[in-house]
């Protein structure tokens, strides 16, 4: 199994390290031809405007859309914004997921936080059990979801922070910044 991480900007190395720890082969994606033999792709957190503009410049927007129509794609934080259909702002998006996302919904950098999330689909594995440690850095919120979208996790106040639409995943937070590998394992299982 070979997984790509979009390596234009942001926290792609951290995703790569976790995937490799789980035994996957990983490729950094910067050009359309890097997508050819991949089984799935992660779009990391970072700055969604930068990721979008660079993807546009490198001719990646359409190839990424085609890829996401057929194969598993997971967007974390800025990556979740990039996957959304609607964010109420003008910036390059893939528009693959039927979700409405609000950028910087929790405030500025200083308002970043950690939360322990209940994510029932993860269960327990690799020695990890119970709540999932989630890091929110100038995070987006998933304000609305379409019919085919399953909510995987909410904050205790009910705000949505993780969703799945078939083979597409979006999380507001950064699962690559803690030692808990369960979300990456869940993604690898989705690919299988
Ligand atoms: N605030 C960033 C954006 O809007 C996302 C932050 C992140 O990925 N941690 O693109």
């Amino acid at each position: 199994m070979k997984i790509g991480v979009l390596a234009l900007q942001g926290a792609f190395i951290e995703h790569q390290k976790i995937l490799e720890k789980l035994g996957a082969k990983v490729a950094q994606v910067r050009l359309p031809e890097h997508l050819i033999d991949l089984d799935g792709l992660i779009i990391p957190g970072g700055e969604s405007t930068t990721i979008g503009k660079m993807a546009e410049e490198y001719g990646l927007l359409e190839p990424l859309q085609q890829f996401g129509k057929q194969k598993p794609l997971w967007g974390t934080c800025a990556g979740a914004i990039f996957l959304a259909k609607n964010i109420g702002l003008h910036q390059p998006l893939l528009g693959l997921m039927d979700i409405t996302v609000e950028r910087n919904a929790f405030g500025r950098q200083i308002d970043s936080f950690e939360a322990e999330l209940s994510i029932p689909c993860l269960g327990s594995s690799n020695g990890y059990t119970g709540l999932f440690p989630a890091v929110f850095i100038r995070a987006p919120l998933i304000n609305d979801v379409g019919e085919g979208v399953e909510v995987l996790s909410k904050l205790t106040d009910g705000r949505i922070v993780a969703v799945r639409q078939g083979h597409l995943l979006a999380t507001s937070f950064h699962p690559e910044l803690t030692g808990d590998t369960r979300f990456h394992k869940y993604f690898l299982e989705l690919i299988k």
Side-chain angles (χ1 to χ4, degrees), residues 102-175:
E102 181 187 346
R103 288 184 62 196
N104 305 324
F106 298 93
R108 306 169 55 155
Q109 194 76 7
I110 196 169
D111 303 306
S112 298
F113 63 101
E114 290 183 38
E116 300 276 309
L117 296 177
S118 161
I119 313 182
C121 67
L122 296 187
S124 52
S125 67
N126 302 343
Y128 295 100
T129 55
L131 299 177
F132 188 87
V135 181
F136 293 81
I137 304 170
R138 276 205 314 128
L141 198 59
I142 301 160
N143 278 338
D144 202 13
V145 302
E147 246 176 47
V149 181
E150 181 190 348
V151 174
L152 300 181
S153 186
K154 292 177 183 177
L155 292 168
T156 45
D157 61 12
R159 290 184 289 177
I160 300 170
V161 291
V163 293
R164 171 178 174 178
Q165 182 174 1
H167 59 284
L168 305 173
L169 291 178
T171 52
S172 298
F173 50 92
H174 287 264

Side-chain angles (χ1 to χ4, degrees), residues 19-112:
L19 291 168
E20 284 171 347
K21 201 161 129 187
L22 291 173
K25 236 175 120 187
V26 181
Q28 296 184 358
V29 172
R30 293 190 179 82
L31 293 169
E33 54 264 39
H34 298 158
L35 291 168
I36 287 168
D37 56 347
L38 300 180
D39 301 301
L41 178 76
I42 294 179
I43 302 177
E47 196 56 45
S48 59
T49 46
T50 308
I51 293 173
K53 277 183 199 159
M54 289 179 81
E56 198 167 46
E57 225 161 274
Y58 293 166
L60 267 166
L61 282 181
E62 228 206 284
L64 285 172
Q65 280 162 341
Q66 290 310 324
F67 186 91
K69 282 181 189 159
Q70 295 150 22
K71 293 188 181 166
L73 239 180
W74 173 19
T76 60
C77 207
I81 298 167
F82 194 42
L83 278 179
K85 267 208 176 109
N86 183 16
I87 65 161
L89 296 166
H90 283 288
Q91 65 184 65
L93 297 176
L94 296 181
L96 287 165
M97 289 186 82
D98 198 5
I99 53 177
T100 302
V101 171
E102 181 187 346
R103 288 184 62 196
N104 305 324
F106 298 93
R108 306 169 55 155
Q109 194 76 7
I110 196 169
D111 303 306
S112 298

